[in-house]
């Protein structure tokens, strides 16, 4: 599923995007839209990828899981609003912010991933409020040098690698 060039679907609900050879959902080039109640799973790249300065979709109550890389990738200065999504069992991070990606993530659950729950790296940013991060194989939240997220009221637990690491 691709949204680009200012595309703005107002309400995309209940879709299943599975077993794709790339991203399940790619929002780029000023793409917007509201995506709710979908299932993005088993994709070769990120379940959801948001890319580009003016890209700012809303994702609400989706299942984003079992991907071969990360669940959600926010990069290249994008925004985005993620609320009450279940992001789990991905091979990479549940959510990664890179190169100025700055999503707002509220009341999501990042769990049972094969690496970290949330990874902010290479100038990654974002607002993370009231999320649950648990049961991931590595540290729950990893913030690398140069990243600058805002974390508030998140619950991080049941991970063998610890709660939060700032490198």
């Amino acid at each position: 599923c691709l949204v680009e060039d200012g595309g703005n679907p107002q309400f995309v609900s209940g879709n299943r995007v599975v077993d794709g050879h790339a991203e399940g959902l790619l929002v780029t080039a000023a793409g917007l839209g509201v995506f709710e109640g979908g299932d993005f799973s088993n994709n070769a790249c990120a379940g959801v990828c948001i890319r580009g300065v003016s890209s700012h979709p809303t994702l609400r109550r989706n299942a984003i899981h079992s991907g071969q890389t990360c669940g959600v990738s926010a990069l290249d200065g994008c925004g985005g609003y993620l609320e009450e999504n279940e992001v789990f069992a991905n091979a990479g991070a549940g959510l990664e912010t890179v190169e100025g990606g700055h999503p707002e993530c509220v009341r999501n659950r990042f769990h049972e991933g094969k690496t970290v729950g949330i990874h902010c790296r290479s100038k990654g940013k974002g607002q993370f409020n009231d999320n649950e991060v648990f049961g991931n194989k590595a540290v729950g939240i990893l913030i690398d040098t140069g990243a600058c997220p805002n974390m508030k009221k998140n619950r991080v637990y049941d991970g063998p690698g610890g709660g939060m690491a700032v490198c």
Side-chain angles (χ1 to χ4, degrees):
C1 183
L2 172 64
V3 178
E4 65 179 348
D5 295 329
N8 188 11
Q10 287 303 302
F11 189 72
V12 179
S13 178
N15 291 291
R16 289 190 72 224
V17 182
V18 299
D19 298 323
H21 297 288
E23 295 87 356
L25 171 63
L26 173 60
V27 179
T28 187
L32 303 168
V34 177
F35 303 87
E36 187 167 315
D39 180 7
F40 301 93
S41 60
N42 241 14
N43 293 291
C45 297
V48 174
C49 180
I50 308 166
R51 172 180 284 149
V53 174
S54 297
S55 296
H56 199 285
T58 297
L59 292 108
R60 191 175 289 120
R61 290 184 287 283
N62 296 288
I64 303 166
H65 62 98
S66 307
Q68 297 173 31
T69 64
C70 63
V72 179
S73 183
L75 52 133
D76 298 335
C78 74
Y81 181 77
L82 288 78
E83 180 181 28
E84 297 179 359
N85 296 287
E86 288 283 333
V87 183
F88 62 98
N90 292 288
L95 181 139
E96 68 172 0
T97 63
V98 185
E99 296 301 329
H102 59 278
E104 181 177 356
C105 300
V106 179
R107 292 184 305 279
N108 298 285
R109 292 167 36 104
F110 300 97
H111 56 98
E112 280 132 47
K114 295 182 173 97
T115 63
V116 302
I118 297 171
H119 190 184
C120 300
R121 61 186 180 89
S122 302
K123 300 179 188 170
K125 300 176 183 179
Q127 302 286 323
F128 298 89
N129 300 312
D130 201 24
N131 298 288
E132 278 189 85
V133 183
F134 62 96
N136 295 287
K137 298 279 188 213
V139 67
I141 298 173
L142 177 59
I143 302 171
D144 286 341
T145 300
C148 189
N150 184 338
M151 302 276 175
K152 183 177 175 184
K153 295 185 182 178
N154 297 293
R155 291 168 307 288
V156 185
Y157 57 94
D158 288 344
M164 182 182 289
V166 180
C167 304

